[in-house]
Every structure is written in C-alpha cells, then in structure tokens.
Amino acid sequence: YAIRDKDGKVVRITGTAEDITERRAAEELLKKNNQYLSALHDTAIGMIRRHELDELLQDIIERAARLADTEHGYIYLYDSDEDEFVVRFGVGALKEAIDVRVKSGEGLAGKVWSSGYPMAVTNYCRWAGRITNSVFDDLQAVVGIPLKSADEVVGVIGLGRCEEHKAFGQEEISVLSRFAELASIAFDNAQLYAKLKQELSERRRMEKSLRKYEKIVSTSKDLMALIDQDFVY
C-alpha cells in the first residue's frame, strides 16, 4: 500500500509477501497421489472382473503403461517346463518382444525374478546386463516390477521409455509396485477360475460319457455282466 506525505504525494510503497513454494509442492503432491489412488482403484475393479487369463495379462500391461505414462511395456510369465520367463504380451515398441525368453538372473526381468524386488535402469541400451535382442535397442529408461503369488515371483511387468532423461523415479516405482500387488491378486483369481473351468469341463465330459454308456446298457437286450479284479461277477 502507498505511503503519502502531507501533500498526498506517494513517497513509498510498502507490502508483505509470503513464500508458498512448500505449500504449492505439498498441494501438487497431494493431487498427484489422489490421481494415483484413483487410477489404482479403477485398475483393481477392472482387473478383478477379468477371468480369462490372456485378457487379464493384456489388461495388466496396458494399465501399467498408462499408469507410468508410457506407450511401451511387456509382461513375462514363468514357464515351468523350460524353467524360463517368456514374454506373453507387449505394447508399443515392445509388441514384438512376444516369446522372448530369459533365465534367472539374465537381463532385467531375470534379475527381478532372482531378487524378487523392482529394478530400474536409466540407460538400458548401454547397460552391460541387457540381453542382446534388437527389439530392445531403442529403450532408454526401463523398470521391472515382480508379479508374486504366495511370495513366489511368477511374472515380471516391464515398462520402458525411448526418450532420454526420463528415468523412472522412486515414487513411480512405489506406485507400480502397489499396482503389481493388485495385479497379482487378479492373476491368482484368473488362474483359479481357469482351473475350476477345466475341472468343470472334465466333469461334464465324464458325465456325458457315463450317460452314453448308461443308455447303451439300459437299452440293450443282451446279457451283460461286470467282473472286478478278483473275478467276482
């Protein structure tokens, strides 16, 4: 406000100021966390409704990519027959990574598999531990998040960025880890659903077979007998 002399002339202006940098930063952080929580809630509801395993896996990697604000991602699953991890789905530049395989400790996914913890690399194309496959040549920052079932790593969510100087920060890794926990629950549910569906299909097949033989026996005019292993009729 103005300070005037006796003639009403403004001789100086005085005022106060407050530094709101920390308050603004706190507001931005709260806003971002609310966005993350909202995204995680929507993700949880959407994934749990997925019962078919292939649809769920594709949904997981697409949602993870959106959550990390990137177009590029893949998801490895454990192949017990070969004792390897194999890429089941990919998006963006990593769509061509399907069927890529790694052993425990090999590449980013292999190291996440063996350690059970998330891992990020700032410059993947120059990283000494990378696997030699041209599909990963354009990647800069990458992060791998474990998918666990009963504390056992059954898969790895991998996300990448092709732009320089856009590394995955600790906050992003923390959010993606929480996302992976929700995805793991949905994954277990889908596997259980697939198992129950298979058992139900097998039961129906057996019931159909029994009804078939029952019909044959009940309509036959021939003499029939059952003999057990002790030759008892």
Side-chain angles (χ1 to χ4, degrees):
Y1 55 92
I3 304 296
R4 303 175 184 272
D5 62 15
K6 61 180 181 179
D7 298 325
K9 183 180 178 181
V10 176
V11 294
R12 67 178 182 273
I13 295 175
T14 186
T16 59
E18 180 184 359
D19 187 352
I20 62 171
T21 303
E22 291 184 2
R23 190 176 75 191
R24 283 284 177 87
E27 290 173 352
E28 286 298 320
L29 180 60
L30 180 61
K31 181 180 178 181
K32 195 170 187 179
N33 283 339
N34 285 337
Q35 290 174 341
Y36 279 146
L37 289 173
S38 177
L40 287 174
H41 174 266
D42 293 343
T43 292
I45 298 301
M47 288 193 303
I48 289 174
R49 289 174 178 169
R50 297 277 191 185
H51 296 306
E52 297 297 335
L53 187 57
D54 285 348
E55 290 182 2
L56 172 65
L57 294 174
Q58 186 170 359
D59 192 34
I60 287 174
I61 192 57
E62 288 176 351
R63 288 177 182 271
R66 287 198 297 270
L67 197 60
D69 192 25
T70 181
E71 300 176 357
H72 318 295
Y74 55 79
I75 183 166
Y76 277 93
L77 278 191
Y78 180 61
D79 181 352
S80 58
D81 294 334
E82 301 294 334
D83 192 29
E84 294 177 330
F85 267 30
V86 57
V87 176
R88 289 287 299 273
F89 282 97
V91 293
L94 299 172
K95 188 179 291 186
E96 303 300 322
I98 293 175
D99 291 332
V100 170
R101 293 176 175 268
V102 295
K103 297 285 188 182
S104 178
E106 184 180 49
L108 180 71
K111 293 186 185 302
V112 172
W113 174 16
S114 61
S115 70
Y117 293 98
M119 181 177 177
V121 175
T122 303
N123 197 330
Y124 185 81
C125 60
R126 294 187 177 90
W127 181 47
R130 59 166 293 182
I131 61 174
T132 54
N133 191 307
S134 59
V135 73
F136 303 114
D137 284 348
D138 295 330
L139 292 181
Q140 295 291 330
V142 293
V143 63
I145 308 293
L147 273 176
K148 295 183 178 181
S149 178
D151 294 328
E152 181 181 352
V153 180
V154 295
V156 174
I157 298 173
L159 298 165
R161 289 172 177 156
C162 298
E163 306 88 353
E164 293 185 4
H165 311 301
K166 289 193 68 175
F168 290 94
Q170 191 56 49
E171 184 180 352
E172 286 181 296
I173 295 173
S174 177
V175 170
L176 289 170
S177 295
R178 281 184 282 171
F179 168 83
E181 292 174 1
L182 297 174
S184 295
I185 296 172
F187 179 74
D188 285 343
N189 287 342
Q191 282 197 312
L192 180 60
Y193 175 80
K195 183 178 180 181
L196 292 175
K197 187 177 179 181
Q198 183 178 2
E199 290 178 354
L200 181 60
S201 176
E202 181 67 16
R203 181 176 176 180
R204 286 175 176 170
R205 188 189 67 79
M206 292 179 64
E207 288 177 348
K208 184 177 180 180
S209 180
L210 287 172
R211 285 196 298 270
K212 175 183 175 182
Y213 287 113
E214 182 182 12
K215 185 175 181 180
I216 292 173
V217 172
S218 62
T219 58
S220 174
K221 297 180 180 180
D222 297 325
L223 177 63
M224 294 186 181
L226 291 178
I227 309 172
D228 66 17
Q229 292 179 342
D230 296 323
F231 298 100
V232 177
Y233 284 75

